[in-house]
Amino acid sequence: MPFIPHTENDVHAMLETIGIRSINELFDEIPSELLIDQLPAIPKALNEMQIARLMKSRAKQDENSLCFIGAGAYEHHIPAAVWDIAGRVEYMTAYTPYQPEASQGELQLLYEYQTMMASLTGMDVSNASLYDGASAVAEAILMAIRSNRQCQAKRVLIPTTLNPLYRKTIQTIVSKQAIELIDVPFDEKTGRITVEAIDKIVTQEFAALVIPQPNFFGLLGDVDALTDWAHQRQALVVAVVNPMTLALLKEPGLWGEKGADIACGDAQPFGIPLSSGGPYLGFLCCKNEHVRQMPGRVVGKTTDVDGKTGYLLTLQAREQHIRRSKATSNICSNQGLMAVAATIYLSLLGPKGLKRVAAASHQKTMLLAEKATKLKGVEVLFHGHYFHEIVLQLPQSAKYIVQEMADSQIEAGLALGDFYPGLDNALLVCCTETKTEEDINKYIECLKQALKNKTFSK
Amino acid sequence: MSQLIFEQSQPNRCAPTQMPFDFISDKAVDLPESSLRTTKPLLPEVSESQVVRHYTNLSKQLFSVDTHFYPLGSCTMKYNPHIMHQLASLPGFLNRHPLSLEEHGQGFLACLFELQEILKAVTGMAGVSLTPMAGAQGEFAGIAMIRKYHESRHDHERTEIIVPDSAHGTNPSSATMCGYTVKEIPTLSNGDLDLDTLKKAVGPQTAGIMLTNPSTLGVFERHIQKVAEIVHNAGGLLYYDGANLNAILGKVRPGDMNFDVMHINLHKTFGTPHGGGGPGAGPVAVNKRLLPFLPVPYVEKADEDYRWITETKATQSIGQLSAFMGNAGVLLRAYIYTRLLGPEGMPRVAEFACLNSNYMKKRFEQLGFNVDLPERRASHEFIISMKDQAERYHVTAMDYAKRLLDYGYHAPTVYFPLIVPECMLIEPTETETKETLDQFIDTMEKIKQEAMTNPEIVQKAPHTTPLKRLDAVKAARELNLVYTPTS
């Protein structure tokens, strides 16, 4: 039987020790009418060679194209060493480091991870990971409500320029706790929210304002003014950022006069493959004063009985296995292995490499936009500063163009119509450093063709 | 301890082959000054070989299933077949963007659809959604579905979730996150639930009950049908915490026990690696009445095509739990595992997990250890209590745990479940040989002798790990969560 090492002799000896005659007797406390003797709906067993053949043919089916989609998941180059090391069996097959003396390697690494993430976001501290970016924002909102003692209202402002997939997730996760989520609409010309506009809509007290930077469209907003505006109203600021962009963009800890209070998002761009959506790496960093409201595992530095430096899981009194129904979150398993990969990635890139990856991604996206807007009828949709991702306004349905270009093995971007009524012709496009000028030219050529096809078919 | 990577940093050292060449400038010149970063992030400036050596060496200070026996109760640390990693890492799977068109993901979606079907069969449920990213998120999804079910019937008085005192901490915590209050009920000394208390506890306020069966005490709830009847008669639903599914896989199905909803920890029962804390995956399975509420997205097969079902079609769904579809890579691994096991392999998992566990339990009992519930069959795990040793020799369960590290074993779970004093929860899993179990038992006996003759060696353990016992109080009091350069 697969992965079961017992010989017949073993089984006999073990049964004899237990004092029973057959393995089935081990289940004699279970009401007999509940026991089943077969599982007809399950396909018959394969050996390793057969499953390899099956999976290779399935993976082959999905191999294709040049990807220009971003929208929360980014294709960056992953150095070979990242998964050679993160994939080592010690990292891969350990459990949560409950026994610190047997897990110093993992714990020290997570301490390094926390340091890197806190520094990138300009925050004081970081936790050791959450599931993904969307659920991290949901946790940050719950945390902000707990942490903001000056505000009685369980009300949070969320711009509609926050990734719509994140907004859906937040709705699922926080809505059971009588929390009111107020949508803040964006300005149709600039694709952003402004202090003036938000000031008009918001009349009631609120616990936190969520600020995405860049926003879902790739646009930079006036985060300083928004942060100060929220702080003047005794609200906390939850920054939602793509951490890759922080190599160049101002860190949330320095937004406005006092800086954002919590910074979160998805660290998938740091060495984690696209992999159809997961596993990714939710991160959450915050200022010191909120640390005891943080969800999830946190690694702290300490000493052993001989005074040597070591690391362990700390502040466990916040967590479900101790506080049970009063814990800061129900999270138990997190995305530890992804944090291992991200830490190795960040070490390989260093401050200089990370800056170059961010700059190259940005410049290539701009190059693509420049070339695309030379095509008849193609424009940049909103006026403003984009970073790393951009919205093109096409002369026809973006969904149609995406479909057309897919036939030529190009994933053209995300058609925004499904998420934003009225933006049917808008296409969210992203380049990363992985795209060459040739790739971009191929994209433009293909886009040109797709636009033409439509004209002919009319 | 090892130097931190930051302490190996030298200004302007880097890994040049990792840098993009074809870029115009390392600034974003077209952006307003006020939006740009002016500080240098604290990232190490090191060479590629330094990075490789540092993190390879750190990995050596880590116990894992591939290197050590890891009988961590409630965590099912079984062997993780290597072929799963290799095949889940094929470029066609790794490079696919989550928002790629469905027609560019038919291979991937086929695997997910079949995994849904296999999980339905093995749980006896009517529908499965693979999207929850860990067991705790599965619990949240399950309780959210219970809530939505009651709401859909305009039954708004149900505010309480019942949880036994032996439950995992995630159970009460997930119930709270779903807006419920938690009512804890006691377990009888024979390990079964107290039915009389349960009868008194249920009522029009009961939304549901969360149960792990076999329980965290390592025994099967013998009156499960009665429990289901009591809760259902009161109008509540039954949630099955799949943490211990390994003990009954292919033998008994939660659906047949009349559970309404459950989660499955793929990183436990279905052999996916736990990654030093995650990623896991916690698919949820439901019976007919909860089908409309399943979290999205999940996969449907229409003719020969596979496609995502989202809330556009599943209008009563509790919604999305992550930006995309969950921990895809973990799901692929679990799919591979189920295909390697097949219909005959599934019940063997439970049978041999229970054989190993009952064998160990019996041998510990014979050696005079204080085995909890000796009159009961163990499931895939069992408890020994060190209460006597703690009283007589001042050697605690934690001391045993630390001493085991010296002998090259990861420690079992200690001090859980909370209701057994000085307990160790031991789960050998089905993939361990009898020799490994015997050696572990011999070692425990040896430690017992040490506790009687030389307690200090146990109390001060570990001695052979890179560090000795760490000061947890200091860590919490003098909180230091990030490195600060001294110069």
Side-chain angles (χ1 to χ4, degrees):
Chain A
M1 272 303 149
F3 318 117
I4 291 170
H6 300 63
T7 65
E8 240 173 78
N9 285 345
D10 292 337
V11 175
H12 283 305
M14 293 169 88
L15 290 176
E16 201 177 316
T17 302
I18 300 167
I20 54 176
R21 303 242 290 270
S22 79
I23 290 183
N24 274 335
E25 283 182 53
L26 294 173
F27 298 90
D28 60 8
E29 289 186 1
I30 299 176
S32 57
E33 64 275 23
L34 290 178
L35 291 166
I36 52 169
D37 50 13
Q38 49 182 341
L39 288 163
I42 291 180
K44 76 179 201 338
L46 304 177
N47 65 18
E48 188 167 306
M49 191 173 68
Q50 291 168 317
I51 188 74
R53 204 174 177 129
L54 173 70
M55 294 307 280
K56 280 175 187 165
S57 75
R58 293 219 167 135
K60 195 98 199 152
Q61 271 183 278
D62 300 355
E63 251 175 46
N64 44 56
S65 44
L66 218 43
C67 178
F68 289 85
I69 317 175
Y74 302 92
E75 182 185 34
H76 291 287
H77 172 68
I78 301 175
V82 170
W83 283 97
D84 263 11
I85 304 174
R88 281 178 66 89
V89 298
E90 294 88 346
Y91 290 125
M92 185 86 102
T93 72
Y95 205 77
T96 304
Y98 292 134
Q99 293 291 338
E101 297 84 0
S103 319
Q104 280 303 297
E106 175 86 27
L107 289 159
Q108 178 177 330
L109 187 148
L110 290 174
Y111 180 80
E112 292 176 0
Y113 163 83
Q114 290 173 184
T115 303
M116 294 181 198
M117 293 310 294
S119 171
L120 271 172
T121 55
M123 293 283 148
D124 298 321
V125 293
S126 163
N127 77 0
S129 79
L130 295 168
Y131 305 130
D132 79 332
S135 60
V137 183
E139 288 280 10
I141 288 170
L142 295 173
M143 174 180 162
I145 288 171
R146 287 192 302 270
S147 215
N148 190 344
R149 301 242 159 82
Q150 283 167 296
C151 173
Q152 298 304 312
K154 288 166 91 176
R155 188 176 296 119
V156 176
L157 308 184
I158 303 189
T160 54
T161 53
L162 178 69
N163 186 331
L165 299 166
Y166 282 30
R167 284 163 54 215
K168 286 182 186 180
T169 307
I170 294 166
Q171 182 67 36
T172 310
I173 295 178
V174 314
S175 61
K176 319 287 178 290
Q177 298 184 48
I179 290 163
E180 193 185 348
L181 301 172
I182 310 270
D183 283 344
V184 182
F186 61 89
D187 178 80
E188 281 180 16
K189 274 207 185 82
T190 62
R192 287 173 289 164
I193 56 161
T194 59
V195 163
E196 294 73 40
I198 199 173
D199 205 39
K200 271 184 209 143
I201 311 167
V202 178
T203 49
Q204 290 167 298
E205 192 190 24
F206 61 99
L209 166 68
V210 174
I211 307 179
Q213 175 87 333
N215 72 19
F216 186 61
F217 304 131
L219 287 158
L220 300 185
D222 191 353
V223 291
D224 297 318
L226 288 166
T227 301
D228 290 341
W229 177 84
H231 280 157
Q232 282 154 15
R233 282 154 189 79
Q234 273 74 49
L236 298 186
V237 170
V238 176
V240 182
V241 286
N242 170 352
M244 178 64 83
T245 68
L246 295 179
L248 288 171
L249 298 182
K250 190 198 280 179
E251 59 272 43
L254 295 182
W255 291 0
E257 301 235 326
K258 290 196 296 185
D261 301 278
I262 303 170
C264 57
D266 206 312
Q268 174 274 331
F270 295 160
I272 296 168
L274 290 173
S275 182
S276 281
Y280 287 176
L281 175 56
F283 69 89
L284 189 147
C285 304
C286 68
K287 295 285 177 66
N288 269 332
E289 56 261 42
H290 307 299
V291 67
R292 276 162 216 280
Q293 293 300 337
M294 254 196 318
R297 313 276 187 209
V298 185
V299 174
K301 184 175 164 178
T302 187
T303 48
D304 76 353
V305 289
D306 294 338
K308 285 197 213 160
T309 297
Y311 306 89
L312 43 64
L313 295 175
T314 190
L315 295 180
Q316 295 198 60
R318 301 164 298 117
E319 291 191 61
Q320 45 77 27
H321 59 290
I322 312 276
R323 288 293 295 281
R324 299 175 78 83
S325 68
K326 302 214 160 46
T328 54
S329 167
N330 69 341
I331 192 166
C332 182
S333 285
N334 54 20
Q335 307 279 117
L337 191 67
M338 303 296 125
V340 173
T343 308
I344 299 169
Y345 178 87
L346 288 171
S347 300
L348 285 167
L349 271 291
K352 190 171 164 192
L354 203 67
K355 216 166 162 177
R356 287 202 174 171
V357 172
S361 303
H362 176 54
Q363 285 155 14
K364 285 177 176 177
T365 301
M366 292 304 121
L367 181 67
L368 182 143
E370 193 188 308
K371 291 187 182 217
T373 48
K374 286 195 179 127
L375 300 178
K376 198 168 166 234
V378 180
E379 290 165 34
V380 171
L381 178 59
F382 302 109
H383 303 286
H385 291 289
Y386 282 93
F387 190 82
H388 180 272
E389 212 160 354
I390 198 161
V391 183
L392 296 177
Q393 176 75 355
L394 305 178
Q396 56 214 346
S397 151
K399 217 169 177 176
Y400 168 79
I401 295 293
V402 167
Q403 198 72 46
E404 282 288 295
M405 288 174 72
D407 293 342
S408 317
Q409 303 298 305
I410 289 187
E411 311 263 17
L414 183 69
L416 291 181
D418 283 346
F419 304 102
Y420 296 95
L423 294 191
D424 292 331
N425 291 4
L427 181 67
L428 182 66
V429 187
C430 170
C431 273
T432 62
E433 87 285 6
T434 58
K435 301 295 172 293
T436 62
E437 189 157 359
E438 245 179 6
D439 295 334
I440 293 172
N441 288 340
K442 196 173 161 199
Y443 181 99
I444 300 296
E445 205 38 55
C446 188
L447 173 60
K448 197 168 154 187
Q449 207 55 50
L451 291 168
K452 242 192 228 157
N453 290 350
K454 181 68 176 183
T455 323
F456 284 135
S457 66
K458 260 181 190 171
Chain B
M1 241 352 262
S2 315
Q3 241 186 353
L4 292 166
I5 189 85
F6 309 105
E7 295 167 315
Q8 301 166 41
S9 183
Q10 291 292 338
N12 297 319
R13 192 179 279 161
C14 66
T17 52
Q18 304 304 345
M19 312 249 168
F21 286 151
D22 54 338
F23 68 105
I24 309 145
S25 127
D26 63 1
K27 292 199 174 87
V29 279
D30 54 333
L31 298 182
E33 201 79 2
S34 64
S35 64
L36 297 179
R37 183 171 197 126
T38 55
T39 66
K40 189 171 171 182
L42 181 56
L43 299 177
E45 294 176 86
V46 285
S47 73
E48 181 161 331
S49 68
Q50 280 182 297
V51 174
V52 169
R53 190 170 295 161
H54 177 70
Y55 291 108
T56 304
N57 284 333
L58 283 186
S59 78
K60 291 182 185 163
Q61 300 177 31
L62 196 51
F63 284 32
S64 70
V65 167
D66 275 9
T67 55
H68 294 77
F69 180 43
Y70 215 119
L72 193 63
S74 210
C75 300
T76 312
M77 294 296 277
K78 61 165 87 174
Y79 170 64
N80 310 139
H82 278 230
I83 189 66
M84 303 195 301
H85 320 320
Q86 198 187 80
L87 298 178
S89 306
L90 289 166
F93 295 132
L94 280 195
N95 298 337
R96 185 178 176 275
H97 193 283
L99 298 170
S100 276
L101 299 175
E102 282 164 350
E103 48 264 46
H104 287 174
Q106 288 296 300
F108 167 65
L109 289 170
C111 296
L112 295 199
F113 179 78
E114 287 170 21
L115 179 60
Q116 286 175 186
E117 293 299 304
I118 290 168
L119 295 180
K120 266 158 68 175
V122 82
T123 57
M125 291 291 191
V128 165
S129 168
L130 302 171
T131 192
M133 292 175 287
Q137 213 189 28
E139 289 179 19
F140 174 87
I143 300 300
M145 284 189 268
I146 289 178
R147 190 179 156 123
K148 197 117 190 200
Y149 167 81
H150 291 308
E151 281 170 5
S152 75
R153 296 156 51 93
H154 308 289
D155 190 348
H156 299 293
E157 305 307 309
R158 300 187 180 273
T159 55
E160 234 173 51
I161 292 282
I162 298 173
V163 171
D165 55 2
S166 62
H168 294 104
T170 47
N171 289 181
S173 175
S174 299
T176 304
M177 278 188 90
C178 283
Y180 284 115
T181 53
V182 175
K183 183 180 268 180
E184 208 174 80
I185 57 163
T187 308
L188 295 173
S189 58
N190 67 9
D192 288 326
L193 268 184
D194 184 342
L195 292 183
D196 290 333
T197 316
L198 180 65
K199 274 180 207 153
K200 282 177 213 140
V202 297
Q205 78 289 356
T206 306
I209 184 168
M210 298 179 86
L211 284 180
T212 312
N213 192 21
S215 73
T216 63
L217 296 166
V219 293
F220 192 87
E221 173 55 59
R222 289 173 287 197
H223 308 298
I224 184 59
Q225 292 142 306
K226 193 84 196 142
V227 171
E229 195 187 310
I230 294 168
V231 176
H232 280 150
N233 283 346
L237 298 186
L238 275 84
Y239 184 91
Y240 180 85
D241 176 338
N244 292 345
L245 187 64
N246 212 56
I248 57 164
L249 189 68
K251 305 295 284 185
V252 193
R253 305 188 303 175
D256 299 334
M257 292 186 239
N258 285 327
F259 281 94
D260 299 282
V261 47
M262 66 179 291
H263 80 265
I264 303 149
N265 301 84
L266 295 183
H267 50 287
K268 296 182 180 176
T269 311
F270 293 95
T272 70
H274 200 262
V284 280
V286 294
N287 66 9
K288 260 203 185 115
R289 62 174 140 185
L290 292 178
L291 270 179
F293 311 112
L294 274 176
V296 287
Y298 48 90
V299 186
E300 184 186 75
K301 188 177 180 184
D303 301 323
E304 285 314 301
D305 292 334
Y306 299 96
R307 58 179 183 213
W308 288 118
I309 297 298
T310 64
E311 83 262 81
T312 335
K313 198 164 174 204
T315 51
Q316 285 183 282
S317 165
I318 58 158
Q320 257 175 251
L321 295 162
S322 64
F324 304 109
M325 51 68 57
N327 282 338
V330 180
L331 301 173
L332 285 173
R333 283 173 173 80
Y335 171 69
I336 294 163
Y337 186 77
T338 61
R339 296 303 310 267
L340 290 169
L341 289 187
E344 283 94 30
M346 301 263 179
R348 296 296 99 81
V349 165
E351 288 168 4
F352 286 83
C354 291
L355 179 68
N356 276 358
S357 159
N358 278 282
Y359 170 74
M360 288 181 90
K361 182 178 176 184
K362 191 55 138 191
R363 288 222 38 211
F364 277 121
E365 195 187 343
Q366 288 167 350
L367 289 169
F369 280 88
N370 187 358
V371 171
D372 195 41
L373 301 172
E375 75 288 2
R376 300 283 312 263
R377 296 268 186 239
S379 63
H380 65 321
E381 61 189 354
F382 63 97
I383 291 169
I384 52 182
S385 168
M386 300 298 167
K387 194 166 159 265
D388 292 348
Q389 278 98 327
E391 278 166 12
R392 214 173 300 165
Y393 311 109
H394 305 287
V395 173
T396 64
M398 186 59 91
D399 297 332
Y400 267 79
K402 300 297 184 194
R403 187 64 179 146
L404 278 168
L405 306 180
D406 279 336
Y407 288 108
Y409 295 104
H410 194 281
T413 298
V414 286
Y415 303 114
F416 180 83
L418 306 176
I419 54 175
V420 182
E422 291 295 336
C423 68
M424 296 186 109
L425 181 61
I426 301 173
E427 180 182 2
T429 82
E430 72 280 8
T431 61
E432 297 297 335
T433 61
K434 177 172 176 291
E435 298 92 286
T436 301
L437 309 185
D438 286 336
Q439 284 155 10
F440 179 82
I441 294 162
D442 292 348
T443 304
M444 285 289 285
E445 174 61 17
K446 200 165 163 188
I447 299 173
K448 196 170 89 187
Q449 297 302 327
E450 287 175 346
M452 289 189 269
T453 55
N454 183 10
E456 197 164 285
I457 200 165
V458 187
Q459 289 155 345
K460 293 202 169 157
H463 306 278
T464 61
T465 49
L467 291 179
K468 295 189 179 163
R469 227 174 270 201
L470 290 153
D471 189 344
V473 177
K474 177 179 171 175
R477 198 172 292 156
E478 301 165 25
L479 212 53
N480 178 335
L481 310 180
V482 299
Y483 167 73
T484 318
T486 40
S487 57

